[in-house]
Amino acid sequence: MKRLFLVLLLCVAGAAFGHKPSDAYLTLERHDAQISGQWDIALRDLENALSLDANGDGEITWGEVRARQSDIAAYALARLEVASGGEVCPLSVTKHLIDQHSDGAYAVLKLSGVCPRPGPALAVTYRLFFDLDPMHRGLLQYVESGQSHSVIFSAEARTHTLGSGNWWEQFTAYVREGVWHIWLGFDHILFLLSLLLPAVLVLRERNWQPAERFGAAFLDVAKIVTAFTIAHSITLSLAALGVVTPPSRWIESGIHGFGFASALRDLGLPTGSLALSLFGFNVGVELGQLAIVTAFLPLAFLLRSTWAYRRVVLTGGSAVIATIAAVWLVERAFDVTLFSALASGLSRG
């Protein structure tokens, strides 16, 4: 029994941090055949790939980064391909810098290149870190003729064709990101489950009774989920536009829209592209939530009259959700790792 509990705890501990995949920020600007750009890559991700921490003290210094500049450039450029007119545009790193983002230090690679056959569009293939972290994302801002738009590279979408007027591609990319933001966010899923568990029951005289109509139960949940999306949209917009910048521990404790906003701020999108990205992302959040509701609620409605649902699923599930939420709150507010410490203690025992 203890071994089973340990396995479950380790699974939960791993999922607890699945909500924050690694990000890298790529900017490409084209003037005729000339390509220039900047690539910001988290040092913690480069450490996993290249072992930059030479002395093993747990901190990566500028000297350690500088000693491996050629390795960093070779590793990154081998995983980025830009093509125009059917031919590859060779890129080179012209300068190495270090910059501080909202989630830590990043290596900054200044890029330059020339396309031998400049065409009307660029085909960009991005493969950074996908072999090490399938949840990694590459956020690209593309600038041409004074127009800017963005796309997101993922393990499932590694190639994008860029050109003027691709607003629909940007919009759909952020819709997908919003959906996965919900589906891969264990905290979001628990939040939805906390709404769904009692939705098929009605409390009468301190006893849970089965709800009479599925439509009414679905509508009640849909209203709450939509209200959450609106709140998510407000917090995300305020944070991404820089109107509100709460401390990082507040962000990790409250999540809502603030977590993804830091990525959009770091990308440096202009107002027009940022508005489109925000709208697409929030549409995806709503679709992702409604998909979970649609999948779970019919099954819960069928089982609502059983003793097992009322006692085991509702009571037991609510207790588990409340416990996990309390532990997360302490972890994120006070920067401690209770799940990992508890799992480690159980494994030693």
Side-chain angles (χ1 to χ4, degrees), residues 27 34 41 50 123 148 171 188 232-233 250 261 279 309-310 342:
T27 299
Q34 184 70 38
I41 306 173
L50 299 174
S148 172
F171 175 76
H188 277 306
H232 191 283
S233 303
W250 291 11
F279 180 65
Y309 186 86
R310 293 195 303 271
L342 181 57

Side-chain angles (χ1 to χ4, degrees), residues 14 49 69 127 181 217 268 293 303 309 334:
Q69 284 181 349
R127 297 184 296 271
H181 179 75
V293 172
L303 299 176
Y309 186 86
F334 300 102

Side-chain angles (χ1 to χ4, degrees), residues 52-54 59-69 72 98:
L52 302 180
D53 186 11
E59 296 184 3
I60 303 173
T61 65
W62 168 241
E64 290 171 330
V65 174
R66 184 171 53 191
R68 301 289 302 277
Q69 284 181 349
I72 294 173
I98 296 290

Side-chain angles (χ1 to χ4, degrees), residues 29-168:
E29 185 169 359
R30 182 166 74 160
H31 296 282
D32 297 324
Q34 184 70 38
I35 302 291
S36 60
Q38 176 175 311
W39 201 354
D40 292 25
I41 306 173
L43 289 183
R44 63 179 181 274
D45 294 332
L46 288 171
E47 164 65 14
N48 291 335
L50 299 174
S51 300
L52 302 180
D53 186 11
N55 60 8
D57 65 352
E59 296 184 3
I60 303 173
T61 65
W62 168 241
E64 290 171 330
V65 174
R66 184 171 53 191
R68 301 289 302 277
Q69 284 181 349
S70 60
D71 294 332
I72 294 173
Y75 182 85
L77 291 179
R79 288 156 178 81
L80 178 67
E81 181 180 286
V82 177
S84 180
E87 292 192 26
V88 173
C89 307
L91 297 177
S92 61
V93 177
T94 60
K95 193 173 184 179
H96 291 262
L97 301 169
I98 296 290
D99 193 14
Q100 195 73 23
H101 284 239
S102 58
D103 59 343
Y106 279 63
V108 178
L109 282 60
K110 295 289 186 178
L111 305 176
S112 181
V114 177
C115 296
R117 293 182 58 188
L122 285 182
V124 180
T125 300
Y126 180 106
R127 297 184 296 271
L128 185 69
F129 298 138
F130 291 142
D131 56 333
L132 301 177
D133 182 3
M135 294 180 66
H136 173 78
R137 299 174 299 185
L139 282 73
L140 167 66
Q141 180 184 8
Y142 177 66
V143 182
E144 183 179 12
S145 302
Q147 300 295 316
S148 172
H149 69 273
S150 65
V151 296
I152 299 176
F153 295 98
S154 65
E156 295 76 26
R158 304 186 181 199
T159 300
H160 287 283
T161 301
L162 308 171
S164 301
N166 282 343
W167 66 269
W168 177 250

Side-chain angles (χ1 to χ4, degrees), residues 165-313:
N166 282 343
W167 66 269
W168 177 250
E169 183 180 4
Q170 176 181 342
F171 175 76
T172 56
Y174 279 91
V175 170
R176 287 195 302 270
E177 188 65 21
V179 172
W180 285 111
H181 179 75
I182 294 298
W183 288 357
L184 298 179
F186 197 59
D187 48 0
H188 277 306
I189 293 174
L190 286 183
F191 164 76
L192 287 175
L193 288 178
S194 69
L195 299 178
L196 293 172
L197 291 178
V200 295
L201 299 171
V202 178
L203 188 62
R204 294 193 183 101
E205 298 180 357
R206 298 186 179 182
N207 290 316
W208 289 107
Q209 302 296 328
E212 296 178 358
R213 293 183 300 160
F214 175 80
F218 182 88
L219 184 60
D220 287 342
V221 173
K223 289 178 181 178
I224 298 175
V225 166
T226 301
F228 171 80
T229 302
I230 294 173
H232 191 283
S233 303
I234 293 172
T235 57
L236 174 59
S237 301
L238 291 175
L241 294 172
V243 178
V244 178
T245 54
S248 60
R249 289 188 183 180
W250 291 11
I251 293 174
E252 293 306 320
S253 301
I255 291 295
H256 292 299
F258 291 118
F260 190 79
S262 61
L264 292 178
R265 279 203 314 270
D266 290 340
L267 185 57
L269 293 173
T271 303
S273 293
L274 181 58
L276 183 63
S277 301
L278 288 171
F279 180 65
F281 184 78
N282 287 314
V283 168
V285 166
E286 179 72 0
L287 294 176
Q289 292 183 143
L290 291 178
I292 294 174
V293 172
T294 303
F296 180 86
L297 202 60
L299 179 61
F301 190 80
L302 290 175
L303 299 176
R304 72 193 189 286
S305 300
T306 64
W307 177 90
Y309 186 86
R310 293 195 303 271
R311 296 298 184 185
V312 179
V313 178

